[in-house]
Amino acid sequence: MSAPTPAPIKSPPADFGIEPSRWTSALQRVSTGNGMISVLSVILALIAGAIMIAFTDPDVQRTAGYFFSRPQDMLAAVWAAVSGAYVALFQGAVYNFRVDGFAAGIKPLTETLKFATPLIAAGLGVGLAFRAGLFNIGGQGQMLMAAAAAGWVGTSLNLPWPLHMLVAIIAGVIAGALWAGIAGLLKARTGAHEVIVTIMLNHIAFYLLAWMLATPGILQAPGSSNPKTAAMAESALLPGILGSQYKLHAGFILALIAVAFTWWLLERSSLGFRFRAVGENPAAAKVAGISVGKMYFLVMVIAGGLIGIAGVSQMLGTVTSGFGGDIDAGIGFDAITVALLGRSTPLGILAAGILFGAFKAGGFAMQASENVPIEIVLVVQSLIVLFIAAPPLVRAIFGLPQPGTRKKPKKPKTPKKNAAQIAEEVSA
């Protein structure tokens, strides 16, 4: 009896092993590269900020006029300007040593965490999409739709606390998820580029919200002609977590829960593994049996829900007296910087969000006490993005080896021969 003939081995599809596009590869390198580059980028940006602070300081400009006769005056003015500005930044963002009592001194840190709350949540949404190979720059639109949904629930429904608050949170998260899901669905079904789609959805959300704010019976406050909502009901507000003397609210706890969820999703769940596989190489993921289009849709839905938490925290915790069309406050675009600085990892985004929250809180103190233009803080943030996007430049500045390069092995030194050895070789 002859042995059964083995089934022929099917060759893999033609697209197996195809490398992702150069844009996808560049996005992966920038958003998930070496964490040391992020730290060095912040250092370089702070150095550049110090130079700008020195150049814009009146005392530095005055002493520069006689620098060659008394250089120590200009150096002292530069030190006073830069150190004063950064000390004010620290005292406005972390701890104020000029006030009495720990409770009053720690207030700047609570302001930092308040500003960081929406940045962390929105950064998680952008970073999660990065890990799947998508560039989600629709944070503004997703935040606006989340704020609209949570605002309608917070002003129109009459429910007890905490049910009212929970319904408003869920409504905002669902609205953000659905709005991002539109881009994911179009990407999955038609291949439409998510950058173009999310940009258009940002504009649609902005003008849709403007219409809702100007229309009585939807979001406009009753009896008012201003494009603004009524104040949120007390039963829908996020409670404070450190007392009434601080503005920090439970939105920060929501952001921490979002960090833990995103970490579990990416590092411990099979769905997160598929997200990462699609982000690394969509063609290979497809060969492995992963539905790439489905992953694109799901990751955008989850990312939109995370960004929706940012809109909810703004609505129900920070701006509770009613909001207008500027409720996003640029957070949707700042989240891109936070995700890049955090290298698209949940813990990295948490740290980056707190850092940018410190920039926001400390920037106002720096402007008030040292007359430093607030625009310098914005320039520092922009320079961080520039340096993160150019790792070879950062490595070159600090003298770090470029990835993939190896040091040439040193040639062994030939021992010197003495006169007797040379004479022996000649005679031989």
Side-chain angles (χ1 to χ4, degrees):
M1 184 175 180
S2 59
T5 304
I9 300 175
K10 295 182 180 180
S11 59
D15 60 350
F16 178 75
I18 295 178
E19 295 294 328
S21 68
R22 60 180 181 177
W23 297 109
T24 303
S25 300
L27 175 63
Q28 287 292 329
R29 288 195 299 270
V30 171
S31 60
T32 61
N34 188 358
M36 180 57 66
I37 298 299
S38 298
V39 177
L40 297 178
S41 298
V42 174
I43 294 174
L44 285 175
L46 291 175
I47 293 173
I51 295 172
M52 288 184 290
I53 290 171
F55 270 99
T56 56
D57 185 74
D59 289 339
V60 174
Q61 295 173 356
R62 178 179 56 82
T63 54
Y66 56 92
F67 172 76
F68 292 101
S69 60
R70 295 180 61 183
Q72 66 272 16
D73 288 357
M74 180 179 173
L75 295 178
V78 168
W79 171 255
V82 174
S83 62
Y86 282 149
V87 166
L89 180 68
F90 178 85
Q91 290 183 342
V94 181
Y95 192 87
N96 189 358
F97 297 99
R98 298 178 181 177
V99 297
D100 296 330
F102 178 79
I106 206 68
K107 188 174 182 180
L109 180 59
T110 65
E111 289 294 306
T112 292
L113 298 179
K114 182 196 72 174
F115 284 117
T117 295
L119 290 172
I120 294 169
L124 290 171
V126 176
L128 180 64
F130 279 163
R131 298 294 291 271
L134 297 180
F135 200 1
N136 178 20
I137 59 174
Q140 180 191 25
Q142 292 150 31
M143 272 194 68
L144 292 179
M145 289 297 96
W152 183 85
V153 172
T155 57
S156 300
L157 300 184
N158 186 15
L159 298 171
W161 191 90
L163 180 61
H164 198 179
M165 180 191 70
L166 293 175
V167 172
I169 292 173
I170 294 172
V173 171
I174 292 176
L178 292 177
W179 199 254
I182 297 173
L185 183 63
L186 292 175
K187 175 74 173 181
R189 291 297 181 89
T190 67
H193 203 289
E194 69 277 3
V195 172
I196 304 299
V197 175
T198 49
I199 288 175
M200 294 298 102
L201 287 173
N202 284 343
H203 287 280
I204 294 172
F206 179 81
Y207 290 109
L208 180 60
L209 179 62
W211 170 76
M212 288 189 287
L213 290 172
T215 304
I218 302 181
L219 283 179
Q220 189 180 53
S224 174
S225 59
N226 295 325
K228 185 178 179 180
T229 67
M232 298 297 107
E234 290 289 335
S235 57
L237 298 183
L238 293 167
I241 58 177
L242 291 177
S244 58
Q245 69 269 33
Y246 304 112
K247 296 180 181 179
L248 184 63
H249 50 77
F252 182 67
I253 297 178
L254 288 179
L256 294 180
I257 294 173
V259 170
F261 166 77
T262 307
W263 178 86
W264 172 85
L265 176 66
L266 286 173
E267 304 298 335
R268 291 293 183 266
S269 71
S270 59
L271 181 61
F273 172 79
R274 284 176 284 186
F275 286 163
R276 290 186 283 115
V278 170
E280 291 291 338
N281 193 322
K286 184 177 181 180
V287 170
I290 299 175
S291 174
V292 175
K294 182 180 179 180
M295 294 303 104
Y296 284 154
F297 173 71
L298 288 178
V299 77
M300 286 300 292
V301 168
I302 298 174
L306 292 170
I307 296 176
I309 295 175
V312 167
S313 68
Q314 283 288 96
M315 269 293 309
L316 305 180
T318 304
V319 187
T320 60
S321 60
F323 70 94
D326 58 348
I327 185 64
D328 72 293
I331 295 169
F333 291 103
D334 289 342
I336 300 174
T337 308
V338 170
L340 290 175
L341 181 61
R343 296 299 177 184
S344 301
T345 62
L347 295 180
I349 291 171
L350 173 63
I354 293 175
L355 176 64
F356 272 66
F359 281 155
K360 286 182 178 292
F364 295 119
M366 193 167 61
Q367 183 183 33
S369 62
E370 299 294 326
N371 294 322
V372 176
I374 192 67
E375 289 78 14
I376 289 181
V377 175
L378 301 178
V379 173
V380 170
Q381 294 177 357
S382 303
L383 286 174
I384 291 174
V385 179
L386 174 64
F387 290 129
I388 288 175
L393 174 62
V394 177
R395 294 179 183 274
I397 292 174
F398 287 95
L400 299 177
Q402 300 293 339
T405 59
R406 295 181 179 178
K407 293 183 179 180
K408 295 182 179 180
K410 295 182 179 180
K411 295 181 179 180
K413 294 182 178 180
T414 305
K416 294 182 179 181
K417 300 179 180 180
N418 54 35
Q421 291 174 331
I422 294 175
E424 183 180 352
E425 290 179 0
V426 169
S427 60

